[in-house]
Amino acid sequence: MIRVDALCHGYADQPSLIDVSFRVEAGEKLVLLGANGCGKSTLLKILAGLLAPRAGSVHYAGAEISPALLKRGEARRRFRREVGLLFQNPDVMLFNPTVYDEIAFGPRQLGLADADARARHWAAAVGVERYLSRPPFTLSGGEKQKVALAALLALEPKLLLLDEPAAALDPRTTGWLVDFLADLPVTLLTTTHQLALAGELGARALVLGEDHRLIYDGATDAFLSDMERLVAANLAHAHRHRHGALEHRHWHAHEWP
Amino acid sequence: MNPAHRARAQLLAYAVAVMLASALSTPAWLLAGVLAALLLAGRQALVILRRALLATLAFSAVVSATYVGHVWWLTATLPWDWLLTVNLRVLLMALLTFLFIARVNLFLALGFSRRLSFLLVLATSQALALRRTLADFRLALHSRTIRPAGLRARYRAAARAMAWLLDRALANAHESAQALQARGWFE
């Protein structure tokens, strides 16, 4: 479904991705890991055809994609319908006067006869149906995240790119999201730096290092149990532990916000 | 010349030029000022002119249209001289400001004052963070529009982005003030 070859990207003179290559098959659920600033969000934006790579290429369903190719026409319509990107900050996605309009925005653009049914169905599926007449910006961070997700799902995409979807969620909603995503019949690529969630979000992990290169592509469980790799990716840390009078220090990878 | 001294001299020159621009009331002199600023900008002239026009367009258009309507209602004449003077003055001040920002290292220019340097760091960090989010607003609209976004969607998205930026800027300013207070700034 996706083929990424020797992808490079940078902002001004700072590289954000260097020589990244991988494949994603339809129906896969992957998690993209990496420390802050290693290029996770940039990679998702390139996969969504929003940023152009400096070098290398991205193919979706056999066709090379780039912002220039996606300006208009049938290629754009198909790609935008099939590929959805959930931004880390849901505020940037919400601009319609009501939650209902927000979720129905995509289907209405396509002129779908069942736009109303889709909006109500996905609002109920993510649990925001009671807010349908409210402006999205009056909702909490977690509710905004759900509305933004429903707005993407209303188009029934084939590929969902989720940028830190649990960052603004409380523990209960995070649990709901993990189950919800596991049941979605779409290809998923989810970024997170919360290691406790990584295994739940995808059986396969892609890991970006602080040098902006892909340093791991394989089973998530194997990566999470490899302390050397976790340390190399700056996903593990060491600090002093105090157990009464006993004090010791070791590397570990427990949860941090 | 020492880079810091040079930056401070440029700051002084900028301040004097802006005061002169605000004092001039002859369209010919203001036009000469605009041409001089563009000459000083050199190869960047078109980029800086475009930025200045975009930055002042909405303000100048609203003020001009309101004043022209008012004068026409009272005297049935058009205040051409006033229109030229005010719009050229606004354009000249914007050009001088964009030229100054493009050419001068503000951190060096304000280095003589610790407090002004702190304020510049705060303002710059806020501006960079808000600029990143504003870029995300644009990309999010692009990613959610199956056909090129229509005018209504663009207006709504722009209005929402502006409202968010104002809210965020106010909240950030409040937090910055609290942080400064916590570190003894207002003692």
Side-chain angles (χ1 to χ4, degrees), chain B:
Chain B
M1 191 191 284
N2 175 315
H5 290 157
R6 182 185 163 88
R8 280 171 215 165
Q10 287 170 316
L11 174 64
L12 186 65
Y14 165 72
V16 169
V18 168
M19 278 192 283
L20 266 177
S22 65
L24 288 174
S25 54
T26 312
W29 280 110
L30 287 165
L31 185 60
V34 167
L35 292 174
L38 290 174
L39 272 176
L40 274 175
R43 285 182 183 176
Q44 288 180 299
L46 281 180
V47 175
I48 287 177
L49 178 63
R50 182 173 176 273
R51 277 187 197 157
L53 284 171
L54 286 175
T56 57
L57 191 65
F59 173 79
S60 294
V62 170
V63 170
S64 299
T66 309
Y67 187 72
V68 165
H70 174 72
V71 171
W72 180 262
W73 178 259
L74 292 177
T75 65
T77 58
L78 289 174
W80 290 113
D81 199 48
W82 182 91
L83 275 178
L84 266 176
T85 304
V86 167
N87 284 296
L88 281 171
R89 185 182 288 149
V90 170
L91 179 63
L92 176 56
M93 290 169 118
L95 277 173
L96 288 169
T97 303
F98 282 113
L99 184 60
F100 176 68
I101 291 170
R103 291 287 170 82
V104 180
N105 183 330
L106 281 174
F107 292 93
L108 282 181
L110 296 179
F112 63 88
S113 162
R114 205 166 62 90
R115 294 204 162 200
L116 284 176
S117 297
F118 275 140
L119 284 176
L120 181 63
V121 169
L122 282 174
T124 308
S125 62
Q126 300 289 337
L128 288 176
L130 294 177
R131 190 172 70 173
R132 273 196 293 272
T133 309
L134 197 58
D136 271 355
F137 269 102
R138 187 176 53 78
L139 291 177
L141 175 66
H142 193 59
S143 77
R144 291 195 61 203
T145 45
I146 294 158
R147 298 191 189 93
L151 265 185
R152 182 183 287 190
R154 282 173 192 265
Y155 284 145
R156 279 180 176 164
R160 185 66 216 123
M162 285 305 114
W164 186 91
L165 282 175
L166 278 175
D167 281 350
R168 200 63 253 163
L170 277 174
N172 288 352
H174 187 62
E175 275 193 16
S176 293
Q178 286 178 330
L180 288 171
Q181 190 175 14
R183 297 179 66 191
W185 178 271
F186 300 113
E187 298 302 317

Side-chain angles (χ1 to χ4, degrees), chain A residues 134-146:
Chain A
R134 275 178 60 176
F137 63 84
T138 62
L139 304 178
S140 71
E143 288 157 352
K144 284 178 189 171
Q145 194 79 276
K146 288 180 168 184

Side-chain angles (χ1 to χ4, degrees), chain A residues 189-252:
Chain A
L189 177 53
T190 309
T191 73
T192 186
H193 62 267
Q194 299 178 33
L195 292 186
L197 284 182
E200 313 297 332
L201 293 171
R204 178 179 158 204
L206 302 172
V207 184
L208 285 169
E210 289 182 296
D211 61 354
H212 310 288
R213 294 173 187 275
L214 190 66
I215 58 172
Y216 180 84
D217 179 356
T220 308
D221 289 345
F223 177 76
L224 294 177
S225 58
D226 186 336
M227 188 53 71
E228 258 184 50
R229 281 197 163 118
L230 285 167
V231 171
N234 192 17
L235 290 170
H237 61 269
H239 61 76
R240 295 196 309 276
H241 290 265
R242 287 159 290 275
H243 305 284
L246 177 69
E247 184 177 296
H248 65 141
R249 178 186 181 89
H250 60 84
W251 287 100
H252 57 172

